[in-house]
Amino acid sequence: MKKNNQFFNVIICTLFIISIILSSQCSSPEKPGEDASIKYKIEAADLYDAFSKNEEEANQKFLNRIIEVNGPLASIHTDAKNNTVLFLLDDLFGIRCSLDSTYSASNKEVLIGLSPGENIRVKGKCNGLQTDVQLSECVILNSKE
């Protein structure tokens, strides 16, 4: 009987440890929202240059990290999923900032007040380089400087 109890206890402990390991690995990554901590602050031109000159090195430094980017707004668009997208520097070769949908919905006045050429600060998760540097789940930190 003692052997059965010991075996049962070992099984329960093992399952408990496995569940802790799996839950820590499967937890969702930090979202960039307004209160998330920023890993890097960088000018839009410097971020684009970093990826243009050495994409592998830039990925090691910025990929999947929450960063703050400061630069001139080139344009505002709506993507196929009806999300607001801001382009810094240039529409094709710059920084593409996909705004967090909750943020966009509750900050329409801020978005309406934006105009091309003005400097803005955006915080978001860096997703690497395609034709432009991709940031997702972005929020605007300060649109007037």
Side-chain angles (χ1 to χ4, degrees), residues 2-29:
K2 284 186 178 183
K3 284 186 180 184
N4 283 341
N5 266 348
Q6 286 177 340
F7 180 73
F8 181 73
N9 287 339
V10 168
I11 295 289
I12 294 297
C13 286
T14 303
L15 291 174
F16 180 71
I17 291 169
I18 289 171
S19 69
I20 289 172
I21 292 170
L22 288 176
S23 68
S24 68
Q25 289 179 348
C26 295
S27 63
S28 61

Side-chain angles (χ1 to χ4, degrees), residues 30-42 65-71 86 88 95-100 103 120-126 134-142:
E30 182 180 11
K31 287 193 161 213
E34 293 177 84
D35 57 348
S37 63
I38 297 167
K39 303 297 181 203
Y40 295 99
K41 293 182 180 184
I42 189 167
R65 298 221 169 68
I66 298 169
I67 62 174
E68 177 183 315
V69 179
N70 182 48
L86 306 178
L88 304 182
I95 312 297
R96 182 183 195 275
C97 308
S98 299
L99 295 184
D100 177 85
Y103 175 86
I120 62 171
R121 288 186 310 127
V122 178
K123 175 170 56 170
K125 179 179 161 192
C126 183
Q134 307 281 315
L135 299 180
S136 63
E137 302 172 39
C138 295
V139 295
I140 299 170
L141 298 176
N142 181 16

Side-chain angles (χ1 to χ4, degrees), residues 39-53:
K39 303 297 181 203
Y40 295 99
K41 293 182 180 184
I42 189 167
E43 293 294 318
D46 294 337
L47 180 63
Y48 186 78
D49 285 346
F51 275 94
S52 296
K53 291 177 181 171

Side-chain angles (χ1 to χ4, degrees), residues 110 112-115 118-121 140-145:
V110 172
I112 290 170
L114 295 176
S115 56
E118 83 175 90
N119 246 17
I120 62 171
R121 288 186 310 127
I140 299 170
L141 298 176
N142 181 16
S143 60
K144 303 291 182 196
E145 303 231 347

Side-chain angles (χ1 to χ4, degrees), residues 78-83 85 96:
T78 303
D79 67 13
K81 295 179 181 178
N82 209 27
N83 293 319
V85 180
R96 182 183 195 275

